[in-house]
Amino acid sequence: MTSVKDRVLIFDTTLRDGEQSPGASMNLEEKLKIALLLEEMGVDVIEAGFPISSNGDFEAVRRIAETVKTSTVAGLARAAKGDIDRAAEALTRARRKRIHTFISTSPLHMKFKLQMEPEQVHQAVIDSIAHARRYTDDVEWSPEDGSRTEHDFLCRCVESAIKAGARTINIPDTVGYAVPAEFGQLIAMLRNRVPNIDQAVISVHCHNDLGLAVANSLAAVQAGARQVECTINGLGERAGNAALEEIVMALRTRPDFMPFSTGVRTELITKASRLVSTITGFVVQPNKAIVGANAFAHESGIHQDGVLKNAQTYEIMTPESVGLTRSKIVLGKLSGRAAFKAKLRDLGLELGDNALQEAFRRFKDLADRKRHVYDEDIVALVDDGLGRANDRIRFVSLMVVCGSTGPQTADLALTVDGESRAIQASGQGPVDATFNAIKALFPHEAKLLLYQVHAVTEGTDAQAQVTVRMEEAGKSVIGQASDVDTLVASARAYVHALNKLLVKRQKQAPAAISA
Ligand code: KIV
Ligand code: ZN
């Protein structure tokens, strides 16, 4: 049986540090959906946002705090009363709340970023934690750029933070500079030198600039850390944060070497990875550990032969353990509602009645145009409908003329707030013509930053999944859609992004603050 000492707490920061990835912004409904899945997975702490940074973040933390029941909900705050008050206000209705406050402690950050003397920073640590403790006993403190902080000063700040009431001390490798042996030694050093360290849980928060975030986190666990901060798919600032799925599966797969457990239901990992990828539009690389499309695929004959004889020859964990089912049902145009529902269940996709109705309609439409409907098609189809019920602009139809002779034109019909609009536009190629038609029907200043197409499955009748990133007034959004017709998918992805920008426009957003 695992004792409390062997339990590693999982602190997920997909909704806060993950959302800080350029272009990964999520709306409230999307954040809530992710938070509920994280809770179902058994994540111990969900960092829901940085309430002072924008009204949108405040509202997201507030809604998640009042909805989530079992996980602790955390809100981030700098070492400033206003930040802490705002975080506390957003967390008011949380059943379990945590205020996570931070300040930089490295010489570089103190001098150039904060322009504060070490003594002032030390005092701010004490004052901020004491202030946060007025709202909750569960206060976490982070010395930003901790891995590049002088050891004497780090020990002094950590000791004072615990005295002031911090129950969790989180050591960030903010710029992903540390290497595993060194980071493990840093944690061991704190355990040896800080006299009251046993009164707090040591946590780590590693960035992936050198591709070492997971390795550093695991080295820290072996040295005594008992909370790991991570994100689904390793989403996060720059090269990202430590990937939750990799941390959890490494601990589960190698108990012989790392005898620690987490409370995560690993069977929900694939579902969480897909949800985050769909919402953010960040495609998971095929060879990504645990959740990449090839993570359990065996191409070479020798490997296939080995796996057929005994899966353990080339599989160190089962696909089922991360929620991948080897489903036997193949859908086609004759499949009915019951088979479709069974397939959704197999894939771990749960839909409400209306969404199910709409997904089934789209499935029938797809099956008419495509001989085999694969699992990936179903996932793309369901993802496509996610959170689009309130869209103001809706795609109706598209007819494109293209080829090597003559101008390329697009005849497009949309509805905008229920009103039908149609136009013909031309352009430098069919995609340009299609996007020009959208611009003519719904004039806007947003800039297209990325246009990306990938095939959902193999074959010439495969669906194209199109991702666009658009920016308006400093805010960027991702739009996604899939269809067997690449141009229809392109138009729908563009419309999806425009709808997200419209939602963003309505929000009042004070300047973003980086952490
Ligand atoms: O990377 C970092 O230092 C952070 C802190 C706010 C914990 O995200
Ligand atoms: Zn971070």
Side-chain angles (χ1 to χ4, degrees):
M1 217 180 95
T2 356
S3 75
V4 177
K5 276 173 74 183
D6 304 328
R7 174 82 150 76
V8 174
L9 300 170
I10 296 296
F11 176 117
D12 180 279
T13 182
T14 306
L15 300 175
R16 198 278 297 170
D17 221 336
E19 208 212 10
Q20 286 178 209
S21 296
S25 64
M26 312 169 208
N27 65 31
L28 198 150
E29 189 192 345
E30 293 165 340
K31 285 187 181 177
L32 198 56
K33 209 167 173 106
I34 293 176
L36 287 171
L37 183 52
L38 292 172
E39 177 180 40
E40 192 187 347
M41 282 174 85
V43 161
D44 299 284
V45 186
I46 299 170
E47 188 163 54
F50 190 3
I52 193 89
S53 69
S54 73
N55 290 344
D57 248 44
F58 176 85
E59 200 46 36
V61 176
R62 198 183 64 76
R63 277 289 297 284
I64 291 168
E66 67 185 19
T67 312
V68 162
K69 295 184 185 66
T70 51
S71 308
T72 296
V73 179
L76 187 68
R78 289 168 302 185
K81 280 195 172 149
D83 276 43
I84 294 167
D85 293 342
R86 195 80 174 132
E89 194 186 341
L91 292 167
T92 310
R93 303 196 53 195
R95 285 169 185 78
R96 296 159 200 257
K97 66 177 88 143
R98 173 176 298 186
I99 296 179
H100 176 193
T101 180
F102 72 99
I103 189 166
S104 294
T105 49
S106 68
L108 203 67
H109 276 221
M110 288 191 292
K111 183 164 178 205
F112 294 101
K113 186 180 122 168
L114 299 177
Q115 292 168 344
M116 283 167 81
E117 291 301 321
E119 277 319 306
Q120 293 173 294
V121 168
H122 179 254
Q123 193 55 48
V125 172
I126 297 169
D127 294 346
S128 57
I129 294 168
H131 190 65
R133 279 296 302 259
R134 290 171 48 184
Y135 295 108
T136 172
D137 288 349
D138 193 347
V139 174
E140 171 170 330
W141 177 72
S142 295
E144 192 183 2
D145 207 16
S147 56
R148 293 193 299 173
T149 297
E150 284 170 354
H151 287 190
D152 287 352
F153 187 59
L154 185 62
C155 288
R156 185 166 164 237
C157 287
V158 169
E159 185 180 350
S160 299
I162 298 171
K163 262 197 208 133
R167 292 278 172 271
T168 303
I169 297 293
N170 177 49
I171 307 299
D173 181 26
T174 303
V175 290
Y177 180 72
V179 295
E182 174 197 31
F183 199 59
Q185 279 163 21
L186 180 66
I187 301 304
M189 184 280 294
L190 289 170
R191 291 184 72 206
N192 285 333
R193 288 187 48 190
V194 176
N196 54 359
I197 197 73
D198 56 324
Q199 291 166 34
V201 171
I202 303 180
S203 167
V204 287
H205 174 113
C206 298
H207 280 269
N208 206 29
D209 300 65
L210 292 173
L212 293 171
V214 169
N216 286 338
S217 306
L218 293 175
V221 168
Q222 286 177 297
R226 287 295 175 269
Q227 176 179 283
V228 175
E229 301 199 353
C230 44
T231 57
I232 301 289
N233 298 339
L235 198 68
E237 286 266 13
R238 305 181 309 278
N241 289 60
L244 179 148
E245 61 278 7
E246 295 178 22
I247 301 279
V248 168
M249 289 312 288
L251 293 176
R252 181 176 157 157
T253 307
R254 295 304 307 274
D256 53 329
F257 205 67
M258 297 180 288
F260 311 105
S261 69
T262 72
V264 172
R265 285 178 58 199
T266 61
E267 297 75 19
L268 290 172
I269 280 177
T270 299
K271 184 174 175 183
S273 166
R274 282 179 182 159
L275 182 67
V276 170
S277 166
T278 304
I279 285 176
T280 57
F282 279 45
V283 176
V284 174
Q285 76 192 58
N287 57 332
K288 160 90 176 62
I290 319 293
V291 290
N294 292 348
F296 294 91
H298 305 283
E299 180 82 14
S300 95
I302 297 173
H303 287 206
Q304 285 175 350
D305 185 51
V307 170
L308 287 173
K309 288 176 175 143
N310 180 339
Q312 286 177 16
T313 50
Y314 290 100
E315 280 180 3
I316 58 165
M317 55 202 141
T318 64
E320 289 78 12
S321 66
V322 298
L324 268 179
T325 46
R326 301 189 218 243
S327 172
K328 304 240 167 353
I329 317 171
V330 178
L331 298 184
K333 67 196 268 184
L334 298 178
S335 307
R337 196 177 294 264
F340 183 66
K341 271 174 101 169
K343 171 63 78 185
L344 292 181
R345 225 184 5 254
D346 270 1
L347 294 171
L349 301 166
E350 283 156 38
L351 300 184
D353 285 350
N354 290 345
L356 178 68
Q357 197 114 324
E358 172 59 15
F360 185 64
R361 189 194 61 70
R362 297 198 55 224
F363 156 68
K364 285 304 239 187
D365 183 43
L366 181 63
D368 271 342
R369 296 190 286 158
K370 195 170 184 292
R371 208 146 62 92
H372 298 296
V373 180
Y374 299 106
D375 289 2
E376 292 86 343
D377 288 317
I378 305 284
V379 172
L381 182 143
V382 169
D383 288 350
D384 223 354
L386 202 80
R388 302 194 190 177
N390 300 320
D391 282 0
R392 287 181 53 199
I393 312 170
R394 287 173 184 272
F395 172 85
V396 177
S397 66
L398 176 69
M399 180 75 191
V400 173
V401 176
C402 62
S404 57
T405 52
Q408 284 84 29
T409 57
D411 279 274
L412 178 76
L414 300 175
T415 60
V416 178
D417 294 327
E419 174 207 322
S420 300
R421 298 183 188 178
I423 201 164
Q424 183 181 79
S426 58
Q428 304 297 325
V431 177
D432 193 43
T434 303
F435 290 178
N436 285 343
I438 299 176
K439 261 187 224 152
L441 291 182
F442 190 85
H444 56 271
E445 294 298 319
K447 270 209 283 253
L448 181 70
L449 301 181
L450 169 99
Y451 170 72
Q452 179 179 288
V453 185
H454 90 268
V456 173
T457 59
E458 290 163 12
T460 48
D461 68 345
Q463 288 198 89
Q465 185 166 56
V466 176
T467 305
V468 299
R469 182 182 297 157
M470 293 176 66
E471 188 190 60
E472 185 186 66
K475 292 189 199 110
S476 71
V477 292
I478 291 280
Q480 255 186 353
S482 44
D483 197 281
V484 287
D485 185 315
T486 308
L487 294 167
V488 170
S490 304
R492 293 183 51 238
Y494 194 105
V495 165
H496 182 217
L498 272 184
N499 278 305
K500 283 179 144 181
L501 277 176
L502 291 180
V503 173
K504 285 218 165 229
R505 264 190 211 167
Q506 283 162 8
K507 287 185 191 159
Q508 217 192 319
I513 302 163
S514 78

